[in-house]
Amino acid sequence: MAQPQIPMPHVDQWVTGRVRNVVSIVPRGIRFEASMYGPLLSYLATFFPAHRRFMIKPQAILRPKYIGDFMSDIAEQGSDGSVSDRSDRAEMEEGGDDVSVNESEDEPREPDIGSDSEDEDVDWDDARDTSFDSYGDPTPSRDEGSAQGIRFPDFLIVKATESLTDDTILIIVEVKRDSRSLPSSRRQIQQYLQLAATKRRVRFLQGFLIVGDVTESYYLNSEHRDAVAVRGPSFVTTNLALKARLHQVAAQNW
């Protein structure tokens, strides 16, 4: 079936002007990087509207995937609903962008002693130490040292639903006010992409490193979990090239 033609959205003149003004302060850039967040959020929201189930997450959380004894047991035995139905009994973890299992007011369900349930060998203490992030991946709970390896991209653009564990990552955006730490900034955006490679995401996930009036593009080179982050072309932040990239991703996931 042919993909519908989605017209390039109109970006309000004041939004384009505000972005242009905030990224064109050179050579040292604006005083606070946070001054770029509002204008860029308005800019991105033009291409990724909420009524098409797009969501833009500022200072989003990316956490490493965790496989413990609990998840291994479930994978080997086949779940009877205790994991796949986790959204029915999961709550949003305070201060995080992930969903914790078995943190509700009710005690976690344990199999009846002497029953024929295959859940008898599941380590339920391990289950209490496991969270599920927005992309359905198991991650260590905060009590189990989940801060190790955690990353905070400035913006994650996702295709979302009402579910807390069913987002698909479309684009990663990192913002820097100037180029004084460019080598470490490049490593940073590549780390974000590598971490996202193991999660639910589009096939060739793109990342944009916005450094003032210049934007560098990056992408994952395959749909596999061991995909490598590759640097692509650079372009002026406010020119048509970035608009075209954003529009393309939005249209493909409309």
Side-chain angles (χ1 to χ4, degrees), residues 85-183:
D85 295 336
R86 60 184 176 270
S87 59
D88 292 337
R89 56 190 172 84
E91 292 184 345
M92 182 67 75
E93 196 173 52
E94 181 181 356
D97 189 25
D98 61 292
V99 178
S100 299
V101 175
N102 295 328
E103 292 188 358
S104 60
E105 295 180 357
D106 299 329
E107 290 296 319
R109 179 185 64 81
E110 298 194 20
D112 296 333
I113 297 177
S115 71
D116 294 330
S117 171
E118 292 184 346
D119 288 345
E120 291 177 355
D121 296 329
V122 172
D123 186 347
W124 291 96
D125 287 334
D126 193 16
R128 280 187 285 269
D129 291 334
T130 305
S131 299
F132 289 89
D133 65 15
S134 300
Y135 319 101
D137 268 357
T139 61
S141 70
R142 286 180 294 179
D143 293 338
E144 289 296 301
S146 64
Q148 184 175 2
I150 197 169
R151 296 291 183 269
F152 298 90
D154 287 326
F155 297 104
L156 274 186
I157 303 174
V158 304
K159 191 73 170 182
T161 69
E162 294 181 0
S163 170
L164 300 180
T165 58
D166 198 30
D167 292 348
T168 299
I169 305 175
L170 305 180
I171 289 176
I172 299 176
V173 178
E174 182 66 12
V175 180
K176 300 299 178 184
R177 68 188 184 94
D178 58 51
S179 60
R180 283 177 292 179
S181 59
L182 189 55

